[in-house]
Amino acid sequence: MTLQRLAAFSDGDRGGNPAGVVIGERLAEAAEMQRIAAELGYSETVFAAPQGDGWRVRYFSPAVEVPFCGHATVALGAALAERCGDGVFPLTLNQAVITVEGRRQGDRWSAALQSPPTRNAPVAPEPLAAALELFGYETSDLDPALPPAIVHGGADHLLLALRRRGDLAAMRYAMEDGARLMTEAGLLTLLLVWAEGPRTFHSRNAFAAGGVYEDPATGAATAALAGYLQSLGWPHGGSITVVQGEDMGCRSLLAAEIPAQLGGSIRVAGQVRSLEP
């Protein structure tokens, strides 16, 4: 079993979301994987072992197992490319089968995941009111062009689109209250976004349910956002760029390609850098 520490969706030599990548001949017991993830303390650690022509994969946050994690998948893609050579790697998750592509780019690595199918639904009044209260927002702070929704790209996220960049920068919440809301509503994260333009978004992602206040880069939520934009008929032109982590001092870049097929898989790509000394 080998452990690597990688930052996915980095902006060159800075930023990105740290992930633990553990590759072994077989997966450890769930309790052992949970222990390792808690000790590392990253928002997610991904565990992978060979299975047939691909890899069996599970994801753990410091507090719980999660069904899908984008940034850890991208980190895994870079690790598999380093181990096996450039290529596309089939991944069997708990609830889906996806792929990740990893390639060397000079002295860096890049990777791109294909998300599980996407879908979205309106937010029920109670969790919406609870989310607004959690962050101290009013309905008037929301962007009417992007109504609140439950968006899915491997996991459920509650999306709140804000009218002003300053409101995104001012995001604050009580972690215990956030964890309770996410758990009771069956949400992996609360996703806040601001549209700089039709194809550029700034986002912040609260992940209290996983024992983490905020993620600096979230591939699963970006896939879910892209699928949501597709369903709205948003003028995305086939792709979007998401800037995340900027307000944490950890600027990260995520690129999502949006297919013509409604509800289809989203390709989310970015650079990966090593955090090893």
Side-chain angles (χ1 to χ4, degrees):
M1 187 171 65
T2 61
L3 168 64
Q4 291 176 267
R5 295 169 175 83
L6 303 171
F9 301 118
S10 58
D11 180 10
D13 292 326
R14 61 176 181 161
N17 194 356
V21 178
V22 180
I23 300 175
E25 290 304 313
R26 63 187 62 83
L27 293 181
E29 294 295 326
E32 176 65 6
M33 290 189 282
Q34 185 66 75
R35 182 192 66 79
I36 293 170
E39 285 188 359
L40 277 175
Y42 295 149
S43 58
E44 273 95 5
T45 296
V46 58
F47 297 83
Q51 178 176 284
D53 295 331
W55 298 82
R56 177 68 173 98
V57 173
R58 294 176 71 173
Y59 308 92
F60 286 80
S61 75
V64 295
E65 183 173 8
V66 298
F68 176 58
C69 173
H71 85 275
T73 300
V74 163
L76 175 62
L80 291 176
E82 183 179 28
R83 179 188 182 106
C84 307
D86 292 359
V88 177
F89 306 96
L91 308 179
T92 300
L93 316 184
N94 287 355
Q95 301 173 6
V97 176
I98 64 169
T99 62
V100 67
E101 179 178 2
R103 300 202 174 274
R104 181 183 289 276
Q105 289 189 327
D107 59 351
R108 297 195 182 98
W109 297 91
S110 68
L113 64 85
Q114 289 292 152
S115 78
T118 59
R119 62 179 185 267
N120 61 83
V123 186
E126 286 188 4
L128 175 57
L132 291 172
E133 182 180 0
L134 178 71
F135 295 114
Y137 296 138
E138 303 291 340
T139 303
S140 59
D141 295 321
L142 301 180
D143 185 344
L146 296 165
I150 302 297
V151 297
H152 182 96
D156 284 346
H157 312 264
L158 194 159
L159 169 70
L160 297 177
L162 299 168
R163 295 177 57 195
R164 295 175 291 271
R165 178 69 178 87
D167 289 338
L168 184 68
M171 185 198 87
R172 300 289 186 277
Y173 74 99
M175 191 162 171
E176 183 176 332
D177 293 340
R180 184 182 307 110
L181 168 59
M182 294 175 210
T183 301
E184 291 177 354
L187 301 168
L188 186 62
T189 74
L190 303 177
L191 172 62
L192 308 182
V193 303
W194 172 73
E196 180 180 338
R199 302 179 67 181
T200 303
F201 292 81
H202 294 251
S203 74
R204 301 188 72 172
N205 206 252
F207 185 34
V212 177
Y213 187 82
E214 178 181 2
D215 261 341
T218 317
T222 295
L225 169 64
Y228 170 71
L229 296 175
Q230 178 195 49
S231 72
L232 287 182
W234 185 266
H236 51 70
S239 65
I240 60 170
T241 297
V242 174
V243 181
Q244 192 175 338
E246 208 166 39
D247 297 305
M248 302 171 64
C250 192
R251 178 181 163 92
S252 305
L253 297 175
L254 305 90
E257 296 179 14
I258 305 175
Q261 178 189 1
L262 187 66
S265 171
I266 303 295
R267 181 180 174 88
V268 183
Q271 291 189 340
V272 181
R273 65 185 181 93
S274 175
L275 298 175
E276 304 293 347

